[in-house]
Structures are given as structure tokens and as C-alpha cells.
Amino acid sequence: MEAVTFNDLGSQKVLRSPASFYARLREHEPLTPFTFGAIKIWLVATTYDETALLLKDPRFVRDIHHVFPEGIPPALQQFIQQGGETLQLLSQNMLSLDPPDHTRLRGLVSKAFTPRMIEQLRPRIQQIADELLDAVQARGQMDLVADFAYPLPMSVISEMLGIPPEDRAQFRSLTQALLAGAMTPDQKWQTTGESFISYIKKQLAARREKPGDDLMSNLLQAREQDDMLTEDELVSMIWLLIVAGHETTVNLLSNGALALLLFPEQLRLLRTNPGLIPSAVEELLRLTAPVLFASKRMAREDLTLHDQLIHRGDVIYISTAAANTDPEKFSDPQNLDVSRQENRHLIFGKGIHSCLGAPLARLEGQIAFSTLLARLPNLRLACEPESLEWNPLFNLRSLKSLPVSF
Ligand code: HEM
């Protein structure tokens, strides 16, 4: 297999069919190293069973202070400083921390994301999906990303947090710019991050004046009354919930709709058997890879993996796309089968950092696809599939647009 460069990962070729690319890596090149300044990054694309173990492996941690308790080496320190205060502040959320801080922060919001709490959102999510389709139905065409897949999860997480409707449109370009520049944060990245942070601080100030019945007000209360989190942790938590709450689900809805349009017999099967919606959503999560990797981990000690020496401080990204197409675990893994029953995919990760929003993502997916199919019986692609483009990100599979007609 030809050597893989980091740019290949965000290339149109790979993003068009990641399942086959990561399956090839799993078979031929389970570990691929890249160097970014003082940081060595390993992509791990391996079997389902090994992935499941690695995702919970205590030799990997999130907080660099736990990797180097004696002090961060100067070269690494310099690299981190390139991201400035913005990077440091935005890294103080549960995804970037280990216990006990991780446990404390996750505990503050986990109640809002239990399957029971999320189920209560069903009527409102249905209403949002219907309103989005009301706005385009007469037109007979839409960009499924801009008109449906983006505004649906964005509205849901914004309403949970209490973010005003008129502010939501700006988040897509801000989060995309922050995600795209995260590997090499420069001055422009910092400025973008600062404007996001100052927006969140303004929202918090408004809630201090006039608390509402929303997650942001509840978190602020936890900060002010119970002293459960610092101001920076509060800002970073809100930023994580905004980004994680929409960037991934947009991809589930848009890549998922595309997959159904490209497998018309599966689309027909689903239309005639709406009871298959829950298994269809699991299958779209597995095969269309809204995210391609679990989140960043760092080796806390030197260790050997597939005969390669991983040093303390090295970063690893574990490919869920490779695990989710392992033929040892899934029969005919490259094929979309909306009625697949054995489907314990790893798209939401595993272990203490496994996706907090999984029940919400699943419910949004089920409502979105059932509403699209029920209301747009003649849904079809309005462009050549070859002309579609994905944003050049290595870890998210994010379609730029998806023109459809109906
Ligand atoms: C299709 C949709 C989604 C996918 C594929 C997805 C995937 C993931 C993955 C892979 C992780 C990291 C797991 C690990 O590294 O072991 C994660 C963490 C997380 N996700 Fe999601 N996610 C989705 C939707 C959501 C939604 C809707 C929210 C709502 C706020 C959310 C909030 C979070 C949070 C807060 C974490 C960090 C958990 C922790 O560190 O303890 N996600 N997600």
C-alpha cells in the first residue's frame, strides 16, 4: 500500500468512500505515524476487538499534565503555546480531561442527556423537522445540508442551552474554522476562538442578570452557588456542547441521506417498513462514518503496538471507521443493510468518554429520516454524485452541500 500522508486523510478521495480506505489501512497498515512539530501522531486503524480494547486502555489519557507530571518538555510547551490562551481555555472540558475532573464535569450535565430526558424532547424535535420541511416543500428542491441537516441539530442543542435563534447561523463557519485549524493553531485560529469565547461570555452575563430555564443557566448556577466549576471550565463546557451537539449529527443526517439515495433498494425497503428506522439509523451511523476517529488520546507511558514503539506523550487517533467495517464482526461490512440486527458499532466510542449525546443523536436521526421519508416520497439527488464535496477535515466527514429535489 502507498504511504499515506496526513493530507490524504482530508482528501475528497478518502472522504468519498472512507469505509474502503480505512478497511485497507486496517488490513495493511494498522499504524501510520505523522509528525507535527514536536508532536508525533499515530493513526490506529485496526480490528473491531482491538479497537474496543484500545478505546478503554488506561495507558492513554487526555490531560498532558498527567502524561508529564514532572513538567511538560519545553518543545511540547512551545507547540501548545502556539494555540495561546484560547487553546488552553477550550481544552478545559470533559473531553480533554481525566478523572477526577472529567467525572465532576460530566456529572454536571449527564442528567440532561439520559435517554429518558432526551425522549421528552421528541415532540419538539419533530416540530423542528416539520417546520424545516414546511419552509422548502413548495420549492421542490433544497440543499439538504443547509436547509435541514444543519438547522435541525443546531436548533435542538441551542434550545437546550438557551442560545437565541438569530445567533445560530454564525456557528457553522466558526466551528468549521476552529476544527480545520486545530492541528496547527495560528493567530487567525486564536482570533476565531476568541470571538467564540467572547460570545459565550456575553450569553453568560445575560443569564447572570436574568436566569432562564435552560442548561446554560443551570450550569451557571452550579458555578455560582455550588462552586462546582471554574469560569473557564464553564465556557469550555458550553463550547463543547455547541460543537459536539451539532457538527457530528449534521453529518449523520447528510451522509445518511446520501447513502440512502445511493442505495435505492434500501431506501425503498425503509419506505415500505418504517419500523426499520431505528436499525437504519444504527446502520447509517456504522457505515457512513459521521466521525472517522474517536477523540484524541495521549500515551502516558512508552508502549509497543503492532511492533511500533509509541513514546510517552505521543498522540493517538483510533479509527472507528476501520473497526466498524471489520468483516470478523459485521457480515458484508461495506454494504448498507438497513435491517441489520447485530450492529454494535463503535461510532460513539467506548469507556468513560463515550459520547454523552448518543441518545440525542439517535433520536434526532430517527425523527429526521422518518420525517424526510414520510413527507418527501419522491426524494432524489439533484446533482451527479461525483460533484459532491466534503469539507477537508481528517476526523469528520462533513458534506459541503447536498442538492436534492422532491
Ligand atoms: C452522530 C452523532 C454523534 C457522534 C457520531 C458522536 C461521536 C462521539 C465520539 C466518537 C466521542 C468521543 C468518544 C471517545 O473518544 O471515546 C464523543 C464524545 C462526546 N460527545 Fe458525541 N457524537 C455525536 C453526537 C453528539 C451530540 C448530539 C452531543 C450533544 C451535546 C454530543 C456530545 C458529546 C460530548 C459532550 C462528548 C464528550 C464525552 C466525554 O468526554 O465524557 N455528541 N462523541
Side-chain angles (χ1 to χ4, degrees), residues 263-281:
F263 287 83
E265 80 294 351
Q266 290 293 305
L267 180 58
R268 257 195 309 276
L269 182 64
L270 195 54
R271 275 194 197 289
T272 45
N273 298 281
L276 290 178
I277 286 284
S279 64
V281 168

Side-chain angles (χ1 to χ4, degrees), residues 31 58 73 170 173 263 304 310 317 347 367:
L31 256 70
Q170 61 178 315
S173 56
F263 287 83
T304 304
I310 297 187
Y317 279 98
I347 197 72
I367 292 174

Side-chain angles (χ1 to χ4, degrees), residues 92-356:
Q92 294 188 42
N93 60 62
M94 65 186 108
L95 201 53
S96 313
L97 294 170
D98 302 307
D101 290 325
H102 169 265
T103 325
R104 173 174 53 87
L105 293 178
R106 187 161 167 138
L108 285 172
V109 281
S110 56
K111 272 197 224 90
F113 288 92
T114 60
R116 209 159 62 90
M117 287 301 280
I118 293 303
E119 186 54 37
Q120 291 175 15
L121 301 176
R122 183 183 285 276
R124 178 61 190 136
I125 300 177
Q126 183 64 62
Q127 192 182 15
I128 294 170
D130 279 323
E131 283 169 6
L132 291 169
L133 294 189
D134 288 346
V136 294
Q137 191 124 31
R139 252 198 268 154
Q141 56 183 20
M142 67 169 157
D143 170 3
L144 198 141
V145 176
D147 294 326
F148 190 71
Y150 173 69
L152 192 153
M154 190 69 230
S155 302
V156 175
I157 193 68
S158 298
E159 286 186 11
M160 285 179 83
L161 285 165
I163 290 165
E166 61 275 16
D167 296 349
R168 297 172 194 169
Q170 61 178 315
F171 289 131
R172 187 102 221 252
S173 56
L174 282 180
T175 50
Q176 286 277 328
L178 288 175
L179 293 170
M183 300 301 271
T184 47
D186 54 11
Q187 189 54 46
K188 192 163 162 240
W189 187 91
Q190 278 191 52
T191 314
T192 312
E194 275 161 22
S195 63
F196 210 132
I197 290 166
S198 73
Y199 173 80
I200 294 172
K201 286 188 170 166
K202 250 191 252 156
Q203 287 295 316
L204 287 168
R207 276 183 191 59
R208 255 187 204 110
E209 291 279 301
K210 193 166 172 278
D213 179 23
D214 53 56
L215 201 47
M216 222 179 333
S217 300
N218 294 348
L219 287 168
L220 189 62
Q221 223 171 9
R223 153 122 186 90
E224 295 190 339
Q225 291 177 356
D226 306 332
D227 206 14
M228 290 290 282
L229 73 176
T230 67
E231 182 78 13
D232 285 356
E233 285 172 342
L234 175 59
V235 172
S236 189
M237 167 94 87
I238 293 165
W239 128 264
L240 173 67
L241 293 175
I242 295 174
V243 176
H246 81 279
E247 274 300 337
T248 46
T249 314
V250 179
N251 302 339
L252 166 63
L253 305 190
S254 47
N255 293 325
L258 174 62
L260 289 171
L261 292 168
L262 294 177
F263 287 83
E265 80 294 351
Q266 290 293 305
L267 180 58
R268 257 195 309 276
L269 182 64
L270 195 54
R271 275 194 197 289
T272 45
N273 298 281
L276 290 178
I277 286 284
S279 64
V281 168
E282 296 311 311
E283 179 68 343
L284 295 170
L285 282 162
R286 179 189 74 81
L287 189 61
T288 72
V291 306
L292 295 154
F293 293 92
S295 47
K296 177 178 140 185
R297 286 152 165 81
M298 274 169 287
R300 202 172 53 177
E301 56 192 69
D302 290 352
L303 58 109
T304 304
L305 217 56
H306 290 269
D307 296 331
Q308 304 266 20
L309 181 62
I310 297 187
H311 287 103
R312 177 163 77 128
D314 285 359
V315 168
I316 71 159
Y317 279 98
I318 304 169
S319 164
T320 43
N324 287 339
T325 50
D326 180 354
E328 295 286 320
K329 186 72 185 174
F330 303 96
S331 62
D332 200 3
Q334 302 283 343
N335 202 23
L336 183 78
D337 173 3
V338 294
S339 52
R340 192 183 290 274
Q341 291 306 310
E342 259 304 296
N343 202 348
R344 293 165 63 88
H345 58 71
L346 296 173
I347 197 72
F348 292 120
K350 224 176 174 26
I352 59 167
H353 289 275
S354 72
C355 180
L356 175 80

